[in-house]
Amino acid sequence: MEKKINIAIDGYSSCGKGTLAKALAKALGYVFIDSGAMYRAVTLHMLRAGVDVNDETAVSDALNALQIGFVNNADNLSEVTLNGVSVESEIRNIEVAAKVSEVAKIQSVRTRMVALQRAIGQSKGVVMDGRDIGTVVFPEAELKLFMTASPAVRAQRRFDELIAKGDDVTLESIAENLQHRDLIDASRENSPLTLTNDYRVLDNSDLSKEAQFDLAMDWAKKAIAGN
Ligand code: DC
């Protein structure tokens, strides 16, 4: 049987990490895990419970009362669950987006999520996207991608996505939220977004989804073959 590897995809918000990760997982028959969805589900819980996300102690206490997991939907894609219930669509709203970086800064939250992520990756055959997957979660991942795109391209993509869903948002508010999250994600003390020299950098500002997929698939095949 062909060797299975883990693929780590890190990068800024709205760079198309999820789209590429899903396509790679489908083509390789691997499991796709959106680690950002886990931080979003924790955030959703805090908002619902009225916990102040800037109060680390309150967040840590509330963390003990929640279970994060995944279920497969009808399309065989994993959806994040909060206490056993899929919250895949609720976690994409602007309220969660506005607070998630604050929650993801908290070490107790990260420790819990990283332990879950490592357990999922133990038997290999996982494509996981996030911010610290190749640096902290799977430092031994056989393929690490760092995705980037220009801020304007990223804001437009997220705007189009939310408008298609029927959300009432402006391009300016999206651009501001992305900038805010980039800053926190890259400058936080705990597991900041960064890359090491074993990453392959993929700037997709001017790449079609197909061209990007072909490139990444070529790298994946080489990594599976062990070179
Ligand atoms: O990928 P996303 O936009 O859904 O991620 C939501 C937030 O979670 C983002 O602001 C950074 C944080 N995050 C993180 O700190 N570590 C990860 N592995 C994934 C996401």
Side-chain angles (χ1 to χ4, degrees), residues 36 42 64 83-84 112 130 140 144 154 162 169 179 194 201 208 216 221:
V42 173
N64 294 325
N83 297 330
R112 253 309 271 289
E140 74 301 338
K144 300 180 185 181
R154 292 163 50 212
L162 292 174
V169 289
Q179 205 182 8
T194 182
V201 178
S208 69
K221 282 182 184 152

Side-chain angles (χ1 to χ4, degrees), residues 10 13-14 17 34-37 39-40 92 100-101 104 110 117 129-133 158 181 185 188:
D10 290 309
S13 307
S14 301
K17 300 188 297 293
D34 172 358
S35 70
Y39 292 96
R40 286 171 179 264
R92 308 286 160 197
V100 62
S101 289
R110 303 206 69 84
Q117 291 152 6
D129 79 309
R131 305 294 185 291
D132 60 341
I133 309 306
R158 183 69 102 189
R181 284 202 284 154
D185 294 345
R188 69 182 176 218

Side-chain angles (χ1 to χ4, degrees), residues 26 72 88 100 121 125 136 146 179 193 209 218:
K26 193 169 173 207
N72 272 359
E88 195 57 41
V100 62
V136 176
F146 191 92
Q179 205 182 8
L193 173 65
K209 276 186 191 152
D218 188 46

Side-chain angles (χ1 to χ4, degrees), residues 104-123:
K105 281 199 302 198
I106 302 173
Q107 189 53 52
S108 58
V109 173
R110 303 206 69 84
T111 304
R112 253 309 271 289
M113 296 306 115
V114 169
L116 274 170
Q117 291 152 6
R118 286 191 179 143
I120 296 169
Q122 220 170 21
S123 41

Side-chain angles (χ1 to χ4, degrees), residues 41-163:
V42 173
T43 307
L44 179 68
H45 175 84
M46 301 301 157
L47 294 178
R48 281 180 178 170
V51 174
D52 175 1
V53 298
N54 296 306
D55 181 343
E56 286 201 25
T57 313
V59 171
S60 297
D61 288 347
L63 197 61
N64 294 325
L66 64 84
Q67 287 292 334
I68 301 292
F70 286 94
V71 280
N72 272 359
N73 66 16
D75 297 325
N76 208 27
L77 279 174
S78 59
E79 291 192 354
V80 72
T81 59
L82 174 58
N83 297 330
V85 179
S86 171
V87 286
E88 195 57 41
S89 74
E90 293 89 328
I91 59 165
R92 308 286 160 197
N93 69 33
I94 195 105
E95 289 80 19
V96 171
K99 299 286 182 199
V100 62
S101 289
E102 313 296 337
V103 172
K105 281 199 302 198
I106 302 173
Q107 189 53 52
S108 58
V109 173
R110 303 206 69 84
T111 304
R112 253 309 271 289
M113 296 306 115
V114 169
L116 274 170
Q117 291 152 6
R118 286 191 179 143
I120 296 169
Q122 220 170 21
S123 41
K124 302 268 180 174
V126 171
V127 185
M128 193 176 291
D129 79 309
R131 305 294 185 291
D132 60 341
I133 309 306
T135 52
V136 176
V137 181
F138 304 140
E140 74 301 338
E142 291 83 352
L143 178 62
K144 300 180 185 181
L145 303 181
F146 191 92
M147 291 184 58
T148 129
S150 74
V153 166
R154 292 163 50 212
Q156 188 68 49
R157 281 182 191 154
R158 183 69 102 189
F159 176 74
D160 292 344
E161 242 171 61
L162 292 174
I163 291 293

